[in-house]
């Protein structure tokens, strides 16, 4: 098994982010320890914690692992130069990794649009549509991004599969009409399973009021599946009374919940 260790080094919140490097090293099956050196002088290696944020087995036996490095205060750290990584398995000899550029990694966003009847109240579906359109506009011209669009009410429907051409997504978003009940948890489960087959980084972005009343699966099952697949879920919501509950779901998956006013922050999820 060839393990590709993609190290996502980001700046501290509010300071901008600086994706730095990825690295690869031949090893077998499970990686049990890693070391990182040559980091920014203000962040000694012994004060860093390393977190695997996603595992991509799309090209098995090549396995790509995505990491984040944090300092003792939990801040994402940046690097003044390419880090030197060593990957070991159990008591095997450590092998030095070979840096690669992170920018070339494919990034996949599966958008989920709630088109249930409750989204027609106070024109919430228009805010959700415009939120996704705004994010697509920010992705225009970025060759390493792909997006898909799912819509749901009682059932789930793939309006556009993963593509780097967002013309079809925009057309479908303009044509949506809210109706029916809300199977939010079912839609997240469906989206996670579809997105898992993509190569590269993956995440879900769902626009919903969160008023589930028709799902067969449960909130707990969705969180467990997201954690198993290591695909974070980001939620755009329009109901302040549900924000805390939806935020807890998003955070449990490694994602975050946003209101429409927070969309500028959402645009940086792959920075």
């Amino acid at each position: 098994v060839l393990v590709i260790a993609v190290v996502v080094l980001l700046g501290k919140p509010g300071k901008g982010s600086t994706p730095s490097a990825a690295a690869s090293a031949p090893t077998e099956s499970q990686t049990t320890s890693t070391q990182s050196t040559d980091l920014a002088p203000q962040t000694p290696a012994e004060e860093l914690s390393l977190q695997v944020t996603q595992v991509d087995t799309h090209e098995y036996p090549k396995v790509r692992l995505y990491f984040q490095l944090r300092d003792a205060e939990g801040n994402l750290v940046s690097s003044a130069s390419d880090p030197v990584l060593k990957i070991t398995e159990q008591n095997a000899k450590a092998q030095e990794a070979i840096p690669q550029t992170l920018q070339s990694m494919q990034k996949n966003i599966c958008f989920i649009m709630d088109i249930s009847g409750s989204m027609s109240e106070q024109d919430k579906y228009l805010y959700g549509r415009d939120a996704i359109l705004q994010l697509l506009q920010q992705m225009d011209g970025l060759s390493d991004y792909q997006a898909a669009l799912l819509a749901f009410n009682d059932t789930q429907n793939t309006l556009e599969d993963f593509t780097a051409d967002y013309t079809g997504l925009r057309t479908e978003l303009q044509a949506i009409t809210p109706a029916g009940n809300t199977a939010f948890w079912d839609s997240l489960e469906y989206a996670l399973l579809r997105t898992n087959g993509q190569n590269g980084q993956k995440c879900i972005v769902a626009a919903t009021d969160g008023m589930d009343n028709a799902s067969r699966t449960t909130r707990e099952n969705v969180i467990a599946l997201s954690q198993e697949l290591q695909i974070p879920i980001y939620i755009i919501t329009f109901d302040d009374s549900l924000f805390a509950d939806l935020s807890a779901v998003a955070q449990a998956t490694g994602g975050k919940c946003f209101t429409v006013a927070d969309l500028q922050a959402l645009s940086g999820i792959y920075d």
Side-chain angles (χ1 to χ4, degrees):
V1 178
L2 176 65
V3 176
I4 309 296
V6 181
V7 186
V8 184
L9 300 177
L10 302 176
K12 293 184 179 180
K15 299 294 185 180
S17 55
T18 54
S20 176
S24 62
T27 184
E28 295 180 0
S29 60
Q30 183 179 6
T31 299
T32 58
S33 67
T34 62
Q35 298 174 342
S36 178
T37 59
D38 196 25
L39 291 167
Q42 69 273 21
T43 312
E46 61 270 16
E47 296 181 8
L48 296 175
S49 62
L50 184 150
Q51 177 187 9
V52 177
T53 60
Q54 201 164 98
V55 179
D56 181 9
T57 58
H58 184 76
E59 298 179 89
Y60 188 85
K62 179 189 293 184
V63 178
R64 182 171 284 112
L65 306 179
Y66 292 89
F67 294 99
Q68 286 183 343
L69 296 176
R70 296 181 181 269
D71 61 20
E73 297 178 353
N75 296 315
L76 294 164
V77 300
S78 58
S79 173
S81 60
D82 288 340
V84 177
L85 294 177
K86 293 185 178 181
I87 300 177
T88 61
E89 179 191 6
Q90 297 177 349
N91 296 321
K93 181 180 178 181
Q95 301 191 44
E96 187 170 320
I98 304 171
Q100 297 176 341
T101 58
L102 178 63
Q103 286 85 346
S104 62
M105 299 299 171
Q106 186 67 49
K107 303 171 183 67
N108 305 278
I109 301 180
C110 180
F111 290 106
I112 305 178
M113 182 65 200
D114 185 345
I115 59 171
S116 62
S118 63
M119 288 290 285
S120 64
E121 300 171 7
Q122 300 177 330
D123 291 332
K124 287 182 284 188
Y125 79 99
L126 296 178
Y127 289 109
R129 179 200 67 187
D130 291 347
I132 295 176
L133 287 172
Q134 179 180 333
L135 292 170
L136 288 173
Q137 183 177 9
Q138 294 171 0
M139 293 161 56
D140 280 336
L142 302 177
S143 60
D144 54 346
Y145 275 77
Q146 287 195 129
L149 177 63
L150 309 182
F152 76 94
N153 43 33
D154 306 81
T155 60
Q156 299 78 46
N157 184 23
T158 301
L159 300 182
E160 286 288 324
D161 211 343
F162 283 97
T163 177
D165 181 353
Y166 309 136
T167 303
L169 281 76
R170 292 185 169 100
T171 300
E172 293 288 353
L173 283 167
Q174 295 291 351
I176 60 174
T177 301
N181 291 321
T182 308
F184 183 43
W185 308 126
D186 285 353
S187 73
L188 289 177
E189 180 182 68
Y190 179 78
L192 285 166
L193 293 173
R194 287 193 65 88
T195 305
N196 187 50
Q198 294 301 117
N199 182 24
Q201 288 181 284
K202 299 173 274 283
C203 77
I204 308 295
V205 175
T208 181
D209 59 10
M211 298 178 183
D212 191 297
N213 56 18
S215 286
R216 291 169 294 178
T217 192
T218 65
R219 158 184 171 151
E220 291 73 23
N221 287 343
V222 167
I223 291 174
L225 179 61
S226 173
Q227 292 174 342
E228 177 186 350
L229 300 179
Q230 296 182 306
I231 300 176
I233 298 171
Y234 296 85
I235 301 175
I236 305 169
T237 186
F238 318 96
D239 191 331
D240 291 342
S241 67
L242 296 172
F243 183 85
D245 288 341
L246 293 176
S247 183
V249 172
Q251 290 179 12
T253 70
K256 192 174 180 180
C257 189
F258 300 85
T259 64
V260 174
D262 295 328
L263 286 183
Q264 187 60 39
L266 178 60
S267 68
I269 56 177
Y270 272 149
D271 283 351

